[in-house]
Amino acid sequence: MVDDQPWSDVPIDLLCAAAPWRLFRWHKGQKHYSGTYWAATTCNFVIYESRLELARLLFADFDSTVCGIVAQPFLLKTEVEGTPRKHVPDYLLITDAGPVVVDVKPRHRLSNPVVASTFAWTQRAVESRGWRYEVWSEPRNGVLENIRFLAGFRRERLFDPELLDELRHADLFGMTIATASKCLPDRPEPYVRAAIHHLLWRRDLYTDLDDPLRASAVLRRTS
């Protein structure tokens, strides 16, 4: 059911429970890469309509300050210089610092006058509620590749809780991933290495993601 409400009156709880505004289908030859991503943050599937949107989902899921992700959460309608305008933002993120409305767009399209105008009035509407508005474009490729790799270890139910606790209490500061993987001699090394990658995803451990994530990467504790 579609329910028009004044923007300033829409409760955040209603938006958090919203279904995606648009339905999408897959068909041969389509230009956009659409799909669903299982987010560890929500333990549920979130849709995306392009590889760039999938990249933004990965970053949101990896962000420890994000506790909610909603795709295509609402349709904004307004009038700009006498012309009716409509826009569906790509994502609503619920963060420790408050709601963030996100539009995802390739960098080369940001200079398009229609795109720029749409994002400008959307920003004004979002910020009128004291929320943050973000236009997200291509990230640094190295960081994206590292986060994409760590996302393969995001499902906590696949890991032995006792092993994770052992690693959380181990003094891994300054160790490389290769060395840390051998720190529990009673545990199979591949299991320990996978658990370390999960703790990196969870941000219980930290390493520099600007560089390629290798066995020689040095581990640090998060503050």
Side-chain angles (χ1 to χ4, degrees), residues 56-127:
R56 185 63 186 93
L57 278 179
L58 286 167
F59 274 76
D61 204 21
F62 183 62
D63 188 343
S64 59
T65 70
V66 174
C67 57
I69 306 172
V70 187
Q72 302 175 12
F74 50 80
L75 170 69
L76 277 175
K77 296 190 292 186
T78 191
E79 191 172 284
V80 179
E81 298 179 352
T83 302
R85 301 295 298 273
K86 298 180 180 180
H87 179 58
V88 178
D90 293 312
Y91 295 107
L92 169 65
L93 306 181
I94 308 304
T95 77
D96 293 348
V100 180
V101 176
V102 180
D103 273 312
V104 178
K105 191 68 67 176
R107 194 168 287 109
H108 73 272
R109 294 190 58 192
L110 297 182
S111 59
N112 180 292
V114 174
V115 172
S117 173
T118 298
F119 288 173
W121 69 258
T122 300
Q123 180 176 6
R124 291 193 295 270
V126 170
E127 293 180 350

Side-chain angles (χ1 to χ4, degrees), residues 153 158-160 162-164 166-168 170 172 175-200 205 219:
F153 303 88
L158 300 180
F159 295 91
D160 180 352
E162 293 183 1
L163 171 57
L164 295 178
E166 287 181 57
L167 288 172
R168 287 188 178 104
L172 304 181
M175 288 188 184
T176 64
I177 292 176
T179 301
S181 298
K182 302 174 183 176
C183 73
L184 302 177
D186 295 334
R187 298 278 192 172
E189 184 178 335
Y191 289 15
V192 178
R193 186 183 305 112
I196 289 171
H197 288 143
H198 174 70
L199 294 179
L200 285 168
L205 292 172
L219 297 173

